[in-house]
Structures are given as structure tokens and as C-alpha cells.
Amino acid sequence: MAGGTFARADLSADPMAALAQELHPALADAQVPYEAERCLDCGSQTAPAPCTAACPAGIDVPGFIRSLALGDYLRAADLIFAENPLGGSCARVCPTEVLCEAACVLEREGRRPVRIAQLQRAATDRVLLSGAPPAAIHLPHNGLRVAVVGAGPAGMACAATLAPLGYAVTIYDSRPEVGGLVRYAIAPYRQVREPLPQEADRLRAMGVQFQLSTPVETPEDLALLEREYDAVFLGIGLGADQDVSYPGDGLEGVYESLPFIEALKEGRPLPVGRCVAVVGGGNTAMDVAREALRLGAEDVLVLYRRTEAEMPAFRHEVVEAMEDGVRFSWLTLPVRVNGEGRIASVTCQRMELGDPDASGRRRPRPVPGSEFDLPVDTLIKAIGQQYRKEFLGRVGGISAPDAPVAIDQTSGQTENPRFFAGGDAVNGGGTVVEAVAHGKRAALGIDSYLRGPDCPQGRRGR
Ligand SMILES: Cc1cc2nc3c(=O)[nH]c(=O)nc-3n(C[C@H](O)[C@H](O)[C@H](O)COP(=O)(O)OP(=O)(O)OC[C@H]3O[C@@H](n4cnc5c(N)ncnc54)[C@H](O)[C@@H]3O)c2cc1C
């Protein structure tokens, strides 16, 4: 079997070289056994190892590392894919700093944790590159059909769990490529495209059908799904950037985060000037700021209306952005964009923190008379995404389309019994591996619903 990892040719041409530079490059083949042997294999018969317990997808981490140490890449990858059909993508994008690697006992002893993500990547890349088929044992077709709306991590995980159980699964996505935000939003220095196509091929090998460039939009589309399928999984994620507007923000040089990132992932980055301001305090704001620096901006300043302590971004993301050279202006709120045709400055207002709001964070309030102008060439708004309320409003029985989709926490079932949901649409925006876990949970929920006593006559398998 060939070794190595996927080539990252897509963005290697100037001026994108800095963006194509991976944050965590693949381990060399020779490093893999050395790194694998550092694992203390600390799980027991009665309790999973802390790394496995910290993985939302529940990957048997010591198990796959043991296989790697023995040189059995195929077995290692089978163990990973058994729990996470996006095991190759997650090896690149998972925030392991707060998950498996944070739980590693070596870390707790003050030593460098095992590089679990890079070992996972070594195993999955080798097997995905080889085109080896999935190991899952398939039950014969059970006569039941499930539609999955959304080919993001939640939808792909749901399909990959249902297909081996004998379900005929079709995934619909409005986009031409699989992967959802992994394909279109996650920073290119983590992942551009590969290995998503190969992960999708494994689903195809399980019998999953993909209907790409096929939005499910209208009441007729939904009626068709209800007619043709026994259950529907909604892995629709979130929608466009939050609709936050300032006077003047129609000027050239003012961008929303998702189109900005998508353009650079497509290899046609939007121009940034020398001075870039990024609005927001979450992980997307950190990504956008670091991407702007890599695109050649000399000064990138994050504007956040609360303080560093309230920032929703992972701490390690903030620290890494600082290390890259991103600057921060806390307690700062943009109120107006100025310029003629093109942005020349942004007027900001100083804030102070008042009483806690519903989220428990102290509410920012403007300091009177504190407005000031900041000369910038570019302003990027990274304030979060909206719910897909128009679509959800058309799904019968969903009572609050402008909020996280309400589900039963053990089955993923929505208020409409034939519809299940998971991923960002349910948690308001999380991580890829959480979406994978939601997709798996809903698949098992669908299986027990369609085979259970509550299921209307005629849908229990034919
Ligand atoms: C900028 C950014 C960076 C991120 N970086 C990371 C990271 O480094 N690591 C990490 O773990 N997480 C990261 N995340 C979060 C992660 O990408 C998401 O949590 C995850 O992708 C959610 O998966 P999902 O399947 O729920 O939704 P999505 O990935 O959003 O997929 C939803 C899919 O549904 C499709 N769809 C929606 N509505 C319809 C419809 N009506 N008809 C047909 N198709 C439809 C969409 O086209 C999309 O393909 C990041 C998010 C953003 C915004």
C-alpha cells in the first residue's frame, strides 16, 4: 500500500502560497511508529482511555494507535472510520487542543501529548489514497429509504451509519461538492478539499447516493421527500452571515466572512489592503484575521465589543492569532463605515461592560462621546451565522424556525416525528466532530423509530 499524504496543489500558486502552508503538516512515514509508541495505552476494560472519552465521535484512540505501532494502517483506519466517516478530515480540522490531545495523560503529566490527530491522518490518508473499500459489514437492503438534506459532516455521518444497516440513503445538497463548511469555510491552512472526495467515495461504496447541486427548497420539494422516503435527516447547518449592517457598509472593501473565505478557498481571494479590521470574537473572526495576514495585509486588527475574557473563540485560536501578529481592540464596536466608493475608515465606539445578559456574559454598553476613526482598507464582518429560518419554516411541525432546531437529545428526532436533525442547525454552530456525533445519533434514532411501535403502519420495512 502506498504511503504519504494528499498533495495540496490547489492553492500552491502565488499569491496563495502562504494560505496553502498547513498549520500542522503530515508526519513523515518514519515518524509514525515513533509517535505511536509514545501512547501509554491507558484505557481499561471498564473505562475508555481519556482521549477516547474526550472524542465526541468516540474513536478508539489507543486501539488505532496500537495498530499503527504494529504497522497495520488498514486496521487503524478501519477503527477510525468505524466511528467517524470523516476521520481524515477531522484529523486536519478537529480542535484537538481541547479534545483528545488535551485529555492525553502525557499532557496531564506535563509532557507533550501524543500527536493523535497526525497519527489519525497518517492512517486515514494512507487508506484513502489506496482506495481500499470500507470494512463495514452491510446488512441486506431492508426496504426503507432515508433522505438526508445536507452533505456536510452531520449528513455524511448519518448516511454512513444508516447505509450498513440496510437503508437506501440519498443525500441532497445545494452545493456542487460534498463537505458543507469543511469544503467551503474551514481555513485552507487546515484543509482545502482533500480528503473529502475520497471520504465521499467510501460512502458511495456503501451504497449512499449523492444528489449534489440539488437544493431542497420549496414546499413541493419537501412534500416529495415525505412521499418518497420513510424518514428525513436535516443536516442543513446554518445559513449566511448574521445580518449586521452599519451605515456605509455597501462600500467596496467591506466583506462578510463566509463569502470572503469561500472565495479564497476557491483560489480567487478578494483583495485586502494594508490595514484590515475584522469584527467579531469567535473562531471565524480568528480564521479571517489570520487569512488576511497571509493574503498580505500588514496590519490586522480584530474589533470586539467585549473583553478578551468574554471572547467565544477557543483560547488556543486567540493565542495563535496573536502569535501570527493579529492585533486586538477589545471593548470596541464599529458604528459607521466611511469612504467614497471604497472604505477609507471605520468609526468605532468604545464600550464598557455592564450587568450580565442571558448568556451570563457582561453586557457591553457604549461609553458616551467615545467615538473614534480607524483608517482601514478592508472591513470583514465575522459575527456568526443565521439559522435557515425560511427553509425550516416550511418543514411542518418545527415550531421555532429562527432558533436551534429542537430535538430529542437521545434520538435527534424533531417535533415532526419523521424528521430528525443534527449538527450546526441543532447546536447553533459547533465543530465538525460534534456534527459527526449528531449525525450518528440521529441515524440510530431513525433506525429505532422506523422499526419501533410508534412508527405508522406501512413504514416498518417492506
Ligand atoms: C469559518 C469557519 C471555520 C470553521 N473551522 C472549523 C475548524 O477548524 N474545526 C472544526 O471542527 N469546525 C470548524 N467550523 C465548524 C464546522 O465547520 C461546523 O460545525 C460543521 O461543518 C457543521 O456541520 P453540519 O453538517 O451541521 O453543517 P454544514 O457543514 O454547514 O453543512 C450543511 C450542508 O447542508 C447543505 N444545505 C443546507 N440547506 C440545504 C437545503 N435546503 N437543500 C440542500 N442542501 C442544503 C449546505 O449546502 C451544506 O453543504 C468552522 C466553521 C466556520 C464557519
Side-chain angles (χ1 to χ4, degrees):
M1 208 181 264
T5 187
F6 287 92
R8 289 172 51 87
D10 316 40
L11 302 180
S12 57
D14 281 336
M16 303 287 289
L19 277 162
Q21 193 76 40
E22 281 188 281
L23 280 186
H24 304 292
L27 290 180
D29 282 356
Q31 285 176 285
V32 172
Y34 163 77
E35 190 60 28
E37 276 159 20
R38 294 185 63 238
C39 174
L40 300 182
D41 199 357
C42 54
S44 70
Q45 297 263 318
T46 49
C51 47
T52 294
C55 173
I59 289 176
D60 175 4
V61 177
F64 93 73
I65 293 181
R66 224 168 23 241
S67 295
L68 269 186
L70 296 170
D72 191 345
Y73 280 68
L74 190 56
R75 168 84 183 134
D78 281 348
L79 285 171
I80 295 162
F81 287 128
E83 299 301 338
N84 184 347
L86 294 187
S89 292
C90 280
R92 290 160 168 80
V93 307
C94 259
T96 53
E97 296 87 343
V98 295
L99 295 174
C100 54
E101 292 181 16
C104 176
V105 286
L106 294 183
E107 164 85 8
R108 293 185 198 168
E109 289 172 7
R111 295 157 65 192
R112 177 173 67 72
V114 176
R115 291 178 176 148
I116 297 169
Q118 278 153 304
L119 290 174
Q120 180 166 319
R121 174 169 173 176
T124 51
D125 275 13
R126 185 175 291 201
V127 168
L128 289 170
L129 274 165
S130 77
I137 297 164
H138 272 62
L139 297 177
H141 181 40
N142 61 15
L144 294 163
R145 289 159 52 86
V146 177
V148 170
V149 186
M156 288 175 75
C158 182
T161 311
L162 283 171
L165 297 177
Y167 290 88
V169 186
T170 305
I171 305 185
Y172 293 85
D173 203 296
S174 45
R175 298 288 201 152
E177 289 186 43
V178 302
L181 291 176
V182 183
R183 170 66 188 91
Y184 292 104
I186 286 188
Y189 43 75
R190 293 201 172 84
Q191 180 166 351
V192 181
R193 176 185 281 111
E194 272 68 29
L196 278 170
Q198 293 77 9
E199 289 172 327
D201 283 346
R202 287 174 67 87
L203 267 65
R204 288 189 183 94
M206 295 176 187
V208 174
Q209 308 273 332
F210 285 89
Q211 295 280 350
L212 300 176
S213 303
T214 309
V216 177
E217 268 172 345
T218 62
E220 292 73 31
D221 294 340
L222 281 160
L224 182 91
L225 293 194
E226 294 213 43
R227 214 168 39 244
E228 297 286 322
Y229 295 91
D230 299 284
V232 180
F233 175 72
L234 301 176
I236 55 173
L238 296 170
D241 284 83
Q242 296 257 16
D243 191 11
V244 174
S245 52
Y246 317 111
D249 72 2
L251 292 171
E252 207 181 311
V254 181
Y255 306 131
E256 308 223 313
S257 66
L258 292 182
F260 175 82
I261 304 172
E262 184 171 339
L264 65 87
K265 286 200 80 165
E266 295 294 329
R268 42 173 180 80
L270 300 173
V272 295
R274 287 176 50 233
C275 301
V276 176
V278 175
V279 190
N283 293 319
T284 301
M286 298 307 102
D287 272 356
V288 163
R290 300 174 77 185
E291 285 156 357
L293 274 181
R294 286 164 171 76
L295 284 172
E298 288 167 20
D299 189 18
V300 177
L301 184 62
V302 171
L303 311 177
Y304 180 54
R305 63 194 180 131
R306 292 180 161 102
T307 73
E308 187 174 1
E310 288 83 24
M311 285 181 76
F314 289 128
R315 182 69 201 153
H316 66 269
E317 298 276 356
V318 179
V319 170
E320 286 174 19
M322 287 175 175
E323 286 169 358
D324 277 359
V326 173
R327 298 192 304 123
F328 290 79
S329 182
W330 288 291
L331 293 168
T332 304
L333 181 74
V335 290
R336 192 168 56 250
V337 180
N338 315 301
E340 283 178 24
R342 194 182 163 87
I343 180 172
S345 69
V346 54
T347 302
C348 300
Q349 184 155 42
R350 287 272 173 234
M351 309 296 283
E352 61 186 4
L353 293 183
D355 297 330
D357 63 14
S359 73
R361 293 181 305 169
R362 291 178 65 195
R363 196 189 305 268
R365 58 182 182 219
V367 176
S370 65
E371 289 192 0
F372 63 100
D373 277 356
L374 206 60
V376 294
D377 308 301
T378 304
L379 182 79
I380 308 171
K381 295 187 272 180
I383 303 163
Q385 293 172 257
Q386 305 176 34
Y387 289 96
R388 296 189 189 272
K389 63 178 176 212
E390 275 181 38
F391 172 79
L392 289 169
R394 292 187 196 120
V395 179
I398 301 227
S399 55
D402 196 10
V405 178
I407 53 158
D408 175 272
Q409 290 300 324
T410 51
S411 66
Q413 192 168 35
T414 69
E415 297 155 285
N416 178 337
R418 288 181 60 199
F419 282 71
F420 293 71
D424 281 4
V426 160
N427 63 17
T431 59
V432 173
V433 69
E434 284 166 347
V436 165
H438 280 195
K440 287 168 58 180
R441 170 179 69 185
L444 299 180
I446 290 169
D447 185 46
S448 56
Y449 165 69
L450 289 177
R451 292 171 176 285
D454 294 340
C455 190
Q457 199 67 22
R459 285 198 221 288
R460 259 180 237 156
R462 300 164 192 141

